[in-house]
Amino acid sequence: MHPVAYTRVSDVTTAIAQASADPDSEFLAGGTTEVDMLRIGVARPRRVVDINDLPISRIEDLPDGGVRLGAMARMSDVARAPAVRERFPMVAQALELGASAQLRNMASMGGNLMQRVRCGYFRDGTAPCNKREPGSGCAAIGGINRTHAVLGTSDHCIATHPSDVAVPLVALDAVVHLQGPQGSRTVDFDDFFLLPGNTPEREHPIGHGELITAIDIPATPMARRSTYLKVRDRESYEFALAAAAVAMRTDGGVIGEVRVGLGGVATKPWRARRAEEILTGARADDRDAFERAAREEMAPAVPRSMNGFKIELAQRTLVRALETAAVMGEAA
């Protein structure tokens, strides 16, 4: 590792000031990803600003029945919070399926959103990678790309977004709270993650020194009957090959409202809006409608040499999740 200056802070204002004063600085939250990046030399900040002591870890009820998650709330605490488990079970499920118990006890919610991709070429300091070194190329496109994305890709990057919990959060229209040198602002969750396009090195619309302070999940009554389904190569501690988060409200056997997020197949947490459009008004027991929605959502997918199987896998995963949610939705 190269030498890194270290600062530990205890209030948000100081954290922002410390990071803003050095253009080559980064925030350090749980560190479950950042420390790895430092060790392998992919992250090379001159200074890290440790924010673990910041008072932004509360899990609070919102007036509308939603929940506010402090950015430094640990994944394990959020997963077992009664308000989350009762009102947004697919969020709790995604958190519990997202990492080992040890990592969940350390990893923060804000850090989870900011985690870097698990692309082996990004983490290999010698391979071409446009995220790590813009303009150098994307080794994954012609390389080993079995786990890479098929949606939202570009000629410059096909890395899959790794977060599990971001999938139900995008389906639930969560909102990210930011605070920085210019003050506070909010960003809709779907807008917080950028497609790679021609600038894959830019993953979020935030400026240097801006800090995530909280994540709001607005009240969504049908989310009480929701599910998160994750398909992976092994049962424990593995990233998704395909995942689906579904919340559904049915009336008299007809889908009145549905929210769908996909994971493991795209360069960002994927809101399946085309599928939602097709499903709204369909019979809740119409498997043909489920399959059509899944096909239409995956129609823009661009497979590479090794990951074409993800298209059908994602469709099957979504159909299964929809069938599960349809039964739960009628029970509501």
Side-chain angles (χ1 to χ4, degrees), residues 225-258:
R225 301 291 189 270
S226 62
T227 189
Y228 180 73
L229 177 61
K230 179 177 182 178
V231 178
R232 47 192 169 173
D233 280 327
R234 61 186 183 192
E235 183 61 25
S236 65
Y237 191 34
E238 182 63 277
F239 296 101
L241 292 173
V246 177
M248 184 184 294
R249 175 179 60 81
T250 62
D251 298 302
V254 175
I255 299 173
E257 187 178 4
V258 62

Side-chain angles (χ1 to χ4, degrees), residues 282-307:
R283 293 286 307 176
D285 58 357
D286 187 351
R287 184 182 174 90
D288 288 341
F290 293 175
E291 291 177 346
R292 182 166 73 88
R295 283 195 308 271
E296 289 288 329
E297 190 62 49
M298 296 303 298
V302 178
R304 305 291 172 171
S305 59
M306 298 181 180
N307 66 356

Side-chain angles (χ1 to χ4, degrees), residues 107-169:
S108 68
M109 291 300 297
N112 183 280
L113 304 190
M114 295 296 293
Q115 67 180 301
R116 305 306 302 275
V117 296
R118 260 52 182 194
C119 173
Y121 297 106
F122 170 74
R123 291 171 175 248
D124 177 357
T126 64
C129 174
N130 288 317
K131 277 189 180 296
R132 193 182 64 252
E133 186 179 348
S136 63
C138 176
I141 289 178
I144 299 173
N145 50 42
R146 178 177 178 272
T147 61
H148 285 67
V150 294
L151 289 172
T153 61
S154 75
D155 291 338
H156 301 279
C157 183
I158 60 171
T160 307
H161 193 274
S163 175
D164 282 282
V165 71
V167 178
L169 289 177

